[in-house]
mmCIF file of all heavy atoms in Angstrom:
data_model
loop_
_atom_site.group_PDB
_atom_site.id
_atom_site.type_symbol
_atom_site.label_atom_id
_atom_site.label_comp_id
_atom_site.label_asym_id
_atom_site.label_seq_id
_atom_site.Cartn_x
_atom_site.Cartn_y
_atom_site.Cartn_z
ATOM 1 N N GLN A 285 37.004 10.170 -26.020
ATOM 2 C CA GLN A 285 37.959 9.490 -25.134
ATOM 3 C C GLN A 285 38.534 10.481 -24.060
ATOM 4 O O GLN A 285 38.851 11.623 -24.356
ATOM 5 C CB GLN A 285 39.084 8.778 -25.747
ATOM 6 C CG GLN A 285 38.706 7.666 -26.742
ATOM 7 C CD GLN A 285 39.889 7.143 -27.517
ATOM 8 O OE1 GLN A 285 39.896 7.029 -28.714
ATOM 9 N NE2 GLN A 285 40.936 6.764 -26.874
ATOM 10 N N THR A 286 38.746 9.879 -22.897
ATOM 11 C CA THR A 286 39.610 10.509 -21.863
ATOM 12 C C THR A 286 40.535 9.427 -21.395
ATOM 13 O O THR A 286 40.413 8.302 -21.851
ATOM 14 C CB THR A 286 38.820 11.011 -20.651
ATOM 15 O OG1 THR A 286 38.147 9.880 -20.004
ATOM 16 C CG2 THR A 286 37.578 11.964 -21.130
ATOM 17 N N PRO A 287 41.524 9.784 -20.533
ATOM 18 C CA PRO A 287 42.518 8.793 -20.057
ATOM 19 C C PRO A 287 41.729 7.712 -19.296
ATOM 20 O O PRO A 287 42.123 6.543 -19.194
ATOM 21 C CB PRO A 287 43.295 9.508 -19.088
ATOM 22 C CG PRO A 287 43.341 10.936 -19.611
ATOM 23 C CD PRO A 287 42.010 11.147 -20.106
ATOM 24 N N ASP A 288 40.501 7.921 -18.886
ATOM 25 C CA ASP A 288 39.696 6.905 -18.161
ATOM 26 C C ASP A 288 38.710 6.134 -18.928
ATOM 27 O O ASP A 288 38.105 5.245 -18.547
ATOM 28 C CB ASP A 288 38.871 7.564 -17.085
ATOM 29 C CG ASP A 288 39.750 8.293 -16.001
ATOM 30 O OD1 ASP A 288 40.792 7.730 -15.706
ATOM 31 O OD2 ASP A 288 39.464 9.348 -15.422
ATOM 32 N N GLY A 289 38.653 6.450 -20.285
ATOM 33 C CA GLY A 289 37.730 5.657 -21.151
ATOM 34 C C GLY A 289 36.862 6.570 -22.049
ATOM 35 O O GLY A 289 37.136 7.799 -22.174
ATOM 36 N N PHE A 290 35.671 5.982 -22.330
ATOM 37 C CA PHE A 290 34.747 6.604 -23.232
ATOM 38 C C PHE A 290 34.086 7.751 -22.519
ATOM 39 O O PHE A 290 33.780 7.833 -21.392
ATOM 40 C CB PHE A 290 33.668 5.598 -23.597
ATOM 41 C CG PHE A 290 32.429 6.180 -24.367
ATOM 42 C CD1 PHE A 290 32.515 6.520 -25.735
ATOM 43 C CD2 PHE A 290 31.280 6.420 -23.715
ATOM 44 C CE1 PHE A 290 31.502 7.077 -26.354
ATOM 45 C CE2 PHE A 290 30.112 7.037 -24.323
ATOM 46 C CZ PHE A 290 30.284 7.264 -25.786
ATOM 47 N N THR A 291 33.833 8.888 -23.387
ATOM 48 C CA THR A 291 32.992 10.041 -22.897
ATOM 49 C C THR A 291 32.355 10.638 -24.152
ATOM 50 O O THR A 291 32.795 10.580 -25.176
ATOM 51 C CB THR A 291 33.958 11.086 -22.255
ATOM 52 O OG1 THR A 291 33.129 12.255 -21.813
ATOM 53 C CG2 THR A 291 35.042 11.651 -23.200
ATOM 54 N N ARG A 292 31.120 11.267 -23.891
ATOM 55 C CA ARG A 292 30.499 11.913 -24.856
ATOM 56 C C ARG A 292 30.921 13.438 -25.000
ATOM 57 O O ARG A 292 30.578 14.125 -25.986
ATOM 58 C CB ARG A 292 28.962 11.957 -24.630
ATOM 59 C CG ARG A 292 28.384 10.574 -24.929
ATOM 60 C CD ARG A 292 26.892 10.522 -24.575
ATOM 61 N NE ARG A 292 26.210 9.291 -24.820
ATOM 62 C CZ ARG A 292 25.709 8.956 -25.979
ATOM 63 N NH1 ARG A 292 25.700 9.741 -26.992
ATOM 64 N NH2 ARG A 292 25.121 7.772 -26.166
ATOM 65 N N ARG A 293 31.642 13.896 -23.996
ATOM 66 C CA ARG A 293 31.981 15.429 -23.904
ATOM 67 C C ARG A 293 33.487 15.473 -23.845
ATOM 68 O O ARG A 293 34.044 16.098 -22.924
ATOM 69 C CB ARG A 293 31.300 15.995 -22.703
ATOM 70 C CG ARG A 293 29.745 15.922 -22.702
ATOM 71 C CD ARG A 293 29.276 16.792 -23.756
ATOM 72 N NE ARG A 293 29.649 18.276 -23.580
ATOM 73 C CZ ARG A 293 29.405 19.241 -24.397
ATOM 74 N NH1 ARG A 293 28.835 18.904 -25.615
ATOM 75 N NH2 ARG A 293 29.701 20.490 -24.118
ATOM 76 N N GLY A 294 34.186 14.892 -24.825
ATOM 77 C CA GLY A 294 35.584 15.101 -24.846
ATOM 78 C C GLY A 294 36.052 16.368 -25.497
ATOM 79 O O GLY A 294 35.247 17.343 -25.694
ATOM 80 N N LEU A 295 37.332 16.559 -25.617
ATOM 81 C CA LEU A 295 37.872 17.772 -26.185
ATOM 82 C C LEU A 295 37.361 18.134 -27.574
ATOM 83 O O LEU A 295 37.368 17.311 -28.491
ATOM 84 C CB LEU A 295 39.433 17.602 -26.206
ATOM 85 C CG LEU A 295 40.224 18.774 -26.843
ATOM 86 C CD1 LEU A 295 40.090 20.050 -26.201
ATOM 87 C CD2 LEU A 295 41.712 18.371 -27.042
ATOM 88 N N ASP A 296 36.874 19.282 -27.696
ATOM 89 C CA ASP A 296 36.518 19.893 -29.059
ATOM 90 C C ASP A 296 37.699 20.094 -29.866
ATOM 91 O O ASP A 296 38.623 20.753 -29.368
ATOM 92 C CB ASP A 296 35.644 21.141 -28.857
ATOM 93 C CG ASP A 296 35.027 21.659 -30.069
ATOM 94 O OD1 ASP A 296 35.775 22.011 -31.051
ATOM 95 O OD2 ASP A 296 33.807 21.587 -30.245
ATOM 96 N N LEU A 297 37.697 19.514 -31.121
ATOM 97 C CA LEU A 297 38.902 19.691 -31.920
ATOM 98 C C LEU A 297 39.090 21.165 -32.448
ATOM 99 O O LEU A 297 40.267 21.524 -32.737
ATOM 100 C CB LEU A 297 38.774 18.789 -33.101
ATOM 101 C CG LEU A 297 38.674 17.237 -32.763
ATOM 102 C CD1 LEU A 297 38.637 16.430 -33.967
ATOM 103 C CD2 LEU A 297 39.855 16.838 -31.892
ATOM 104 N N ASP A 298 38.114 21.864 -32.448
ATOM 105 C CA ASP A 298 38.250 23.335 -32.749
ATOM 106 C C ASP A 298 39.073 24.047 -31.673
ATOM 107 O O ASP A 298 39.961 24.854 -31.902
ATOM 108 C CB ASP A 298 36.995 24.027 -32.886
ATOM 109 C CG ASP A 298 36.414 23.872 -34.323
ATOM 110 O OD1 ASP A 298 36.980 23.377 -35.139
ATOM 111 O OD2 ASP A 298 35.182 24.248 -34.502
ATOM 112 N N ALA A 299 38.817 23.660 -30.415
ATOM 113 C CA ALA A 299 39.517 24.141 -29.214
ATOM 114 C C ALA A 299 40.969 23.631 -29.207
ATOM 115 O O ALA A 299 41.887 24.458 -28.764
ATOM 116 C CB ALA A 299 38.743 23.729 -27.912
ATOM 117 N N LEU A 300 41.147 22.494 -29.761
ATOM 118 C CA LEU A 300 42.491 22.036 -29.877
ATOM 119 C C LEU A 300 43.401 22.867 -30.905
ATOM 120 O O LEU A 300 44.466 23.286 -30.613
ATOM 121 C CB LEU A 300 42.558 20.597 -30.381
ATOM 122 C CG LEU A 300 43.930 20.008 -30.757
ATOM 123 C CD1 LEU A 300 44.893 19.903 -29.550
ATOM 124 C CD2 LEU A 300 43.768 18.601 -31.389
ATOM 125 N N ARG A 301 42.771 23.209 -31.963
ATOM 126 C CA ARG A 301 43.388 24.102 -32.963
ATOM 127 C C ARG A 301 43.709 25.446 -32.372
ATOM 128 O O ARG A 301 44.704 26.057 -32.609
ATOM 129 C CB ARG A 301 42.659 24.133 -34.202
ATOM 130 C CG ARG A 301 42.803 22.938 -35.106
ATOM 131 C CD ARG A 301 42.055 22.990 -36.408
ATOM 132 N NE ARG A 301 40.584 22.842 -36.301
ATOM 133 C CZ ARG A 301 40.001 21.718 -36.256
ATOM 134 N NH1 ARG A 301 40.629 20.619 -36.568
ATOM 135 N NH2 ARG A 301 38.685 21.616 -36.151
ATOM 136 N N MET A 302 42.702 25.854 -31.636
ATOM 137 C CA MET A 302 42.859 27.209 -30.958
ATOM 138 C C MET A 302 44.079 27.228 -29.998
ATOM 139 O O MET A 302 44.899 28.162 -29.920
ATOM 140 C CB MET A 302 41.651 27.659 -30.206
ATOM 141 C CG MET A 302 40.438 28.006 -31.197
ATOM 142 S SD MET A 302 38.996 28.331 -30.174
ATOM 143 C CE MET A 302 39.418 29.829 -29.346
ATOM 144 N N TYR A 303 44.176 26.199 -29.201
ATOM 145 C CA TYR A 303 45.274 26.000 -28.269
ATOM 146 C C TYR A 303 46.581 25.956 -28.948
ATOM 147 O O TYR A 303 47.650 26.657 -28.499
ATOM 148 C CB TYR A 303 45.025 24.716 -27.520
ATOM 149 C CG TYR A 303 46.181 24.296 -26.559
ATOM 150 C CD1 TYR A 303 46.250 25.041 -25.329
ATOM 151 C CD2 TYR A 303 47.029 23.317 -26.896
ATOM 152 C CE1 TYR A 303 47.367 24.642 -24.469
ATOM 153 C CE2 TYR A 303 48.050 22.864 -25.973
ATOM 154 C CZ TYR A 303 48.211 23.621 -24.810
ATOM 155 O OH TYR A 303 49.301 23.272 -23.936
ATOM 156 N N LEU A 304 46.743 25.176 -30.024
ATOM 157 C CA LEU A 304 47.993 25.124 -30.799
ATOM 158 C C LEU A 304 48.335 26.476 -31.485
ATOM 159 O O LEU A 304 49.540 26.842 -31.374
ATOM 160 C CB LEU A 304 47.899 23.955 -31.883
ATOM 161 C CG LEU A 304 47.682 22.583 -31.404
ATOM 162 C CD1 LEU A 304 47.393 21.674 -32.586
ATOM 163 C CD2 LEU A 304 48.998 22.171 -30.738
ATOM 164 N N ALA A 305 47.432 27.150 -31.942
ATOM 165 C CA ALA A 305 47.733 28.484 -32.477
ATOM 166 C C ALA A 305 48.167 29.399 -31.415
ATOM 167 O O ALA A 305 48.968 30.205 -31.665
ATOM 168 C CB ALA A 305 46.435 28.928 -33.262
ATOM 169 N N TRP A 306 47.458 29.406 -30.243
ATOM 170 C CA TRP A 306 47.804 30.158 -29.206
ATOM 171 C C TRP A 306 49.369 29.942 -28.732
ATOM 172 O O TRP A 306 50.044 30.976 -28.447
ATOM 173 C CB TRP A 306 46.873 29.925 -28.013
ATOM 174 C CG TRP A 306 47.203 30.624 -26.667
ATOM 175 C CD1 TRP A 306 46.961 31.910 -26.385
ATOM 176 C CD2 TRP A 306 47.686 29.999 -25.590
ATOM 177 N NE1 TRP A 306 47.353 32.105 -25.087
ATOM 178 C CE2 TRP A 306 47.795 30.908 -24.525
ATOM 179 C CE3 TRP A 306 48.073 28.611 -25.200
ATOM 180 C CZ2 TRP A 306 48.300 30.619 -23.204
ATOM 181 C CZ3 TRP A 306 48.492 28.370 -23.954
ATOM 182 C CH2 TRP A 306 48.678 29.359 -23.027
ATOM 183 N N ARG A 307 49.695 28.680 -28.771
ATOM 184 C CA ARG A 307 51.102 28.407 -28.325
ATOM 185 C C ARG A 307 52.117 28.576 -29.477
ATOM 186 O O ARG A 307 53.284 28.639 -29.262
ATOM 187 C CB ARG A 307 51.184 26.922 -27.902
ATOM 188 C CG ARG A 307 50.443 26.629 -26.551
ATOM 189 C CD ARG A 307 50.898 25.224 -25.950
ATOM 190 N NE ARG A 307 52.305 25.163 -25.616
ATOM 191 C CZ ARG A 307 52.715 24.528 -24.603
ATOM 192 N NH1 ARG A 307 51.929 23.905 -23.817
ATOM 193 N NH2 ARG A 307 54.018 24.496 -24.376
ATOM 194 N N GLY A 308 51.620 28.726 -30.684
ATOM 195 C CA GLY A 308 52.537 28.880 -31.840
ATOM 196 C C GLY A 308 53.212 27.531 -32.082
ATOM 197 O O GLY A 308 54.405 27.515 -32.445
ATOM 198 N N ALA A 309 52.478 26.384 -31.861
ATOM 199 C CA ALA A 309 53.094 25.035 -31.925
ATOM 200 C C ALA A 309 52.313 24.177 -33.017
ATOM 201 O O ALA A 309 51.193 24.409 -33.240
ATOM 202 C CB ALA A 309 53.042 24.449 -30.539
ATOM 203 N N SER A 310 53.127 23.188 -33.427
ATOM 204 C CA SER A 310 52.457 22.221 -34.379
ATOM 205 C C SER A 310 52.039 21.048 -33.493
ATOM 206 O O SER A 310 52.611 20.746 -32.464
ATOM 207 C CB SER A 310 53.467 21.780 -35.390
ATOM 208 O OG SER A 310 54.511 20.887 -34.785
ATOM 209 N N PHE A 311 51.008 20.338 -34.029
ATOM 210 C CA PHE A 311 50.564 19.144 -33.267
ATOM 211 C C PHE A 311 51.595 18.060 -33.352
ATOM 212 O O PHE A 311 51.729 17.223 -32.383
ATOM 213 C CB PHE A 311 49.203 18.629 -34.021
ATOM 214 C CG PHE A 311 48.591 17.516 -33.288
ATOM 215 C CD1 PHE A 311 48.214 17.544 -31.939
ATOM 216 C CD2 PHE A 311 48.349 16.348 -34.073
ATOM 217 C CE1 PHE A 311 47.583 16.576 -31.287
ATOM 218 C CE2 PHE A 311 47.699 15.336 -33.416
ATOM 219 C CZ PHE A 311 47.299 15.389 -32.048
ATOM 220 N N ALA A 312 52.333 17.953 -34.365
ATOM 221 C CA ALA A 312 53.410 16.913 -34.528
ATOM 222 C C ALA A 312 54.386 17.129 -33.442
ATOM 223 O O ALA A 312 54.945 16.151 -32.797
ATOM 224 C CB ALA A 312 54.029 17.019 -35.933
ATOM 225 N N ALA A 313 54.820 18.365 -33.201
ATOM 226 C CA ALA A 313 55.812 18.672 -32.159
ATOM 227 C C ALA A 313 55.299 18.288 -30.781
ATOM 228 O O ALA A 313 56.015 17.854 -29.933
ATOM 229 C CB ALA A 313 56.224 20.177 -32.178
ATOM 230 N N LEU A 314 54.054 18.643 -30.479
ATOM 231 C CA LEU A 314 53.388 18.338 -29.295
ATOM 232 C C LEU A 314 53.442 16.871 -28.967
ATOM 233 O O LEU A 314 53.765 16.389 -27.925
ATOM 234 C CB LEU A 314 51.951 18.880 -29.258
ATOM 235 C CG LEU A 314 51.153 18.724 -27.979
ATOM 236 C CD1 LEU A 314 50.288 19.982 -27.672
ATOM 237 C CD2 LEU A 314 50.247 17.487 -27.950
ATOM 238 N N ARG A 315 53.055 16.076 -30.030
ATOM 239 C CA ARG A 315 53.035 14.570 -29.887
ATOM 240 C C ARG A 315 54.512 14.027 -29.662
ATOM 241 O O ARG A 315 54.624 12.969 -29.061
ATOM 242 C CB ARG A 315 52.362 14.017 -31.097
ATOM 243 C CG ARG A 315 50.876 13.855 -30.943
ATOM 244 C CD ARG A 315 50.173 13.239 -32.103
ATOM 245 N NE ARG A 315 50.754 11.990 -32.533
ATOM 246 C CZ ARG A 315 50.410 10.711 -31.991
ATOM 247 N NH1 ARG A 315 49.679 10.806 -30.993
ATOM 248 N NH2 ARG A 315 51.005 9.705 -32.415
ATOM 249 N N ALA A 316 55.437 14.681 -30.366
ATOM 250 C CA ALA A 316 56.833 14.234 -30.217
ATOM 251 C C ALA A 316 57.493 14.411 -28.864
ATOM 252 O O ALA A 316 58.245 13.672 -28.437
ATOM 253 C CB ALA A 316 57.674 14.909 -31.289
ATOM 254 N N ASP A 317 57.046 15.524 -28.275
ATOM 255 C CA ASP A 317 57.584 15.837 -26.831
ATOM 256 C C ASP A 317 56.579 16.233 -25.879
ATOM 257 O O ASP A 317 56.523 17.414 -25.496
ATOM 258 C CB ASP A 317 58.750 16.898 -26.923
ATOM 259 C CG ASP A 317 59.587 16.893 -25.761
ATOM 260 O OD1 ASP A 317 59.363 16.247 -24.780
ATOM 261 O OD2 ASP A 317 60.575 17.734 -25.830
ATOM 262 N N PRO A 318 55.660 15.409 -25.524
ATOM 263 C CA PRO A 318 54.572 15.728 -24.634
ATOM 264 C C PRO A 318 55.025 16.289 -23.236
ATOM 265 O O PRO A 318 54.388 17.171 -22.667
ATOM 266 C CB PRO A 318 53.706 14.544 -24.410
ATOM 267 C CG PRO A 318 54.583 13.400 -24.805
ATOM 268 C CD PRO A 318 55.598 13.951 -25.803
ATOM 269 N N GLU A 319 56.182 15.750 -22.733
ATOM 270 C CA GLU A 319 56.598 16.168 -21.374
ATOM 271 C C GLU A 319 56.972 17.734 -21.454
ATOM 272 O O GLU A 319 56.760 18.456 -20.459
ATOM 273 C CB GLU A 319 57.825 15.313 -21.003
ATOM 274 C CG GLU A 319 57.462 14.003 -20.538
ATOM 275 C CD GLU A 319 56.502 13.916 -19.308
ATOM 276 O OE1 GLU A 319 56.647 14.922 -18.545
ATOM 277 O OE2 GLU A 319 55.805 12.981 -19.170
ATOM 278 N N GLU A 320 57.538 18.166 -22.457
ATOM 279 C CA GLU A 320 58.023 19.565 -22.566
ATOM 280 C C GLU A 320 56.780 20.327 -22.680
ATOM 281 O O GLU A 320 56.563 21.528 -21.935
ATOM 282 C CB GLU A 320 58.883 19.820 -23.807
ATOM 283 C CG GLU A 320 59.195 21.223 -23.979
ATOM 284 C CD GLU A 320 59.921 21.648 -25.344
ATOM 285 O OE1 GLU A 320 60.250 20.650 -26.077
ATOM 286 O OE2 GLU A 320 60.148 22.788 -25.600
ATOM 287 N N PHE A 321 55.742 19.999 -23.504
ATOM 288 C CA PHE A 321 54.563 20.776 -23.703
ATOM 289 C C PHE A 321 53.596 20.808 -22.479
ATOM 290 O O PHE A 321 52.869 21.676 -22.347
ATOM 291 C CB PHE A 321 53.775 20.204 -24.945
ATOM 292 C CG PHE A 321 54.394 20.840 -26.245
ATOM 293 C CD1 PHE A 321 55.421 20.162 -26.827
ATOM 294 C CD2 PHE A 321 53.906 21.940 -26.860
ATOM 295 C CE1 PHE A 321 56.032 20.643 -27.989
ATOM 296 C CE2 PHE A 321 54.366 22.439 -27.999
ATOM 297 C CZ PHE A 321 55.501 21.777 -28.589
ATOM 298 N N ARG A 322 53.793 19.767 -21.690
ATOM 299 C CA ARG A 322 52.893 19.640 -20.517
ATOM 300 C C ARG A 322 53.411 20.651 -19.445
ATOM 301 O O ARG A 322 52.615 21.158 -18.782
ATOM 302 C CB ARG A 322 53.093 18.158 -19.900
ATOM 303 C CG ARG A 322 52.179 17.891 -18.651
ATOM 304 C CD ARG A 322 52.268 16.472 -18.294
ATOM 305 N NE ARG A 322 51.707 16.293 -16.896
ATOM 306 C CZ ARG A 322 52.411 16.346 -15.853
ATOM 307 N NH1 ARG A 322 53.662 16.677 -15.873
ATOM 308 N NH2 ARG A 322 51.841 16.215 -14.729
ATOM 309 N N ASP A 323 54.580 21.083 -19.489
ATOM 310 C CA ASP A 323 55.162 21.937 -18.562
ATOM 311 C C ASP A 323 54.807 23.374 -18.922
ATOM 312 O O ASP A 323 55.182 23.846 -20.108
ATOM 313 C CB ASP A 323 56.714 21.832 -18.537
ATOM 314 C CG ASP A 323 57.310 22.737 -17.398
ATOM 315 O OD1 ASP A 323 56.662 23.550 -16.933
ATOM 316 O OD2 ASP A 323 58.611 22.687 -17.244
ATOM 317 N N PRO A 324 54.043 24.163 -18.179
ATOM 318 C CA PRO A 324 53.574 25.417 -18.632
ATOM 319 C C PRO A 324 54.731 26.387 -18.761
ATOM 320 O O PRO A 324 54.540 27.428 -19.454
ATOM 321 C CB PRO A 324 52.656 25.824 -17.429
ATOM 322 C CG PRO A 324 53.123 24.943 -16.302
ATOM 323 C CD PRO A 324 53.568 23.746 -16.897
ATOM 324 N N ALA A 325 55.883 26.073 -18.138
ATOM 325 C CA ALA A 325 56.991 27.012 -18.383
ATOM 326 C C ALA A 325 57.465 27.045 -19.925
ATOM 327 O O ALA A 325 58.251 27.885 -20.335
ATOM 328 C CB ALA A 325 58.229 26.544 -17.493
ATOM 329 N N SER A 326 57.060 25.988 -20.632
ATOM 330 C CA SER A 326 57.499 25.938 -22.056
ATOM 331 C C SER A 326 56.600 26.851 -23.005
ATOM 332 O O SER A 326 56.972 27.062 -24.114
ATOM 333 C CB SER A 326 57.312 24.496 -22.661
ATOM 334 O OG SER A 326 55.982 24.130 -22.629
ATOM 335 N N ILE A 327 55.621 27.437 -22.348
ATOM 336 C CA ILE A 327 54.763 28.412 -23.195
ATOM 337 C C ILE A 327 55.505 29.719 -23.308
ATOM 338 O O ILE A 327 55.985 30.250 -22.416
ATOM 339 C CB ILE A 327 53.356 28.578 -22.406
ATOM 340 C CG1 ILE A 327 52.798 27.219 -22.368
ATOM 341 C CG2 ILE A 327 52.512 29.550 -23.274
ATOM 342 C CD1 ILE A 327 51.484 27.317 -21.478
ATOM 343 N N PRO A 328 55.534 30.209 -24.526
ATOM 344 C CA PRO A 328 56.206 31.567 -24.834
ATOM 345 C C PRO A 328 55.548 32.671 -23.982
ATOM 346 O O PRO A 328 54.358 32.607 -23.657
ATOM 347 C CB PRO A 328 55.991 31.775 -26.264
ATOM 348 C CG PRO A 328 55.725 30.440 -26.884
ATOM 349 C CD PRO A 328 54.943 29.632 -25.729
ATOM 350 N N ALA A 329 56.366 33.573 -23.483
ATOM 351 C CA ALA A 329 55.852 34.807 -22.755
ATOM 352 C C ALA A 329 54.799 35.462 -23.598
ATOM 353 O O ALA A 329 53.879 35.990 -23.081
ATOM 354 C CB ALA A 329 56.967 35.619 -22.453
ATOM 355 N N GLU A 330 55.089 35.668 -24.855
ATOM 356 C CA GLU A 330 54.136 36.296 -25.797
ATOM 357 C C GLU A 330 53.450 35.231 -26.604
ATOM 358 O O GLU A 330 54.010 34.585 -27.482
ATOM 359 C CB GLU A 330 54.859 37.289 -26.674
ATOM 360 C CG GLU A 330 55.490 38.487 -25.942
ATOM 361 C CD GLU A 330 54.375 39.362 -25.373
ATOM 362 O OE1 GLU A 330 53.338 39.430 -25.930
ATOM 363 O OE2 GLU A 330 54.813 39.983 -24.358
ATOM 364 N N THR A 331 52.210 34.993 -26.346
ATOM 365 C CA THR A 331 51.419 34.049 -27.021
ATOM 366 C C THR A 331 50.695 34.619 -28.116
ATOM 367 O O THR A 331 50.769 35.753 -28.436
ATOM 368 C CB THR A 331 50.311 33.290 -25.997
ATOM 369 O OG1 THR A 331 49.558 34.343 -25.519
ATOM 370 C CG2 THR A 331 51.027 32.426 -25.026
#
């Protein structure tokens, strides 16, 4: 899925876990406050 509908080439879930580990964040926290996580200023200086 994408915001526009069906796709065969969506986000790889391994890449998602890599992204979360890079940010040092939990998936639950990201879902709870997407606006904060969407802002790149919320990313720690040291990833």
Side-chain angles (χ1 to χ4, degrees):
Q285 294 174 234
T286 69
D288 297 325
F290 172 79
T291 180
R292 291 178 177 271
R293 297 292 298 174
L295 173 62
D296 189 291
L297 299 182
D298 280 352
L300 171 64
R301 283 183 286 271
M302 291 175 65
Y303 173 78
L304 292 170
W306 172 77
R307 290 193 66 144
S310 72
F311 185 56
L314 182 143
R315 276 179 50 80
D317 194 355
E319 286 296 333
E320 177 187 354
F321 280 83
R322 180 175 170 273
D323 185 350
S326 66
I327 300 173
E330 294 294 328
T331 54

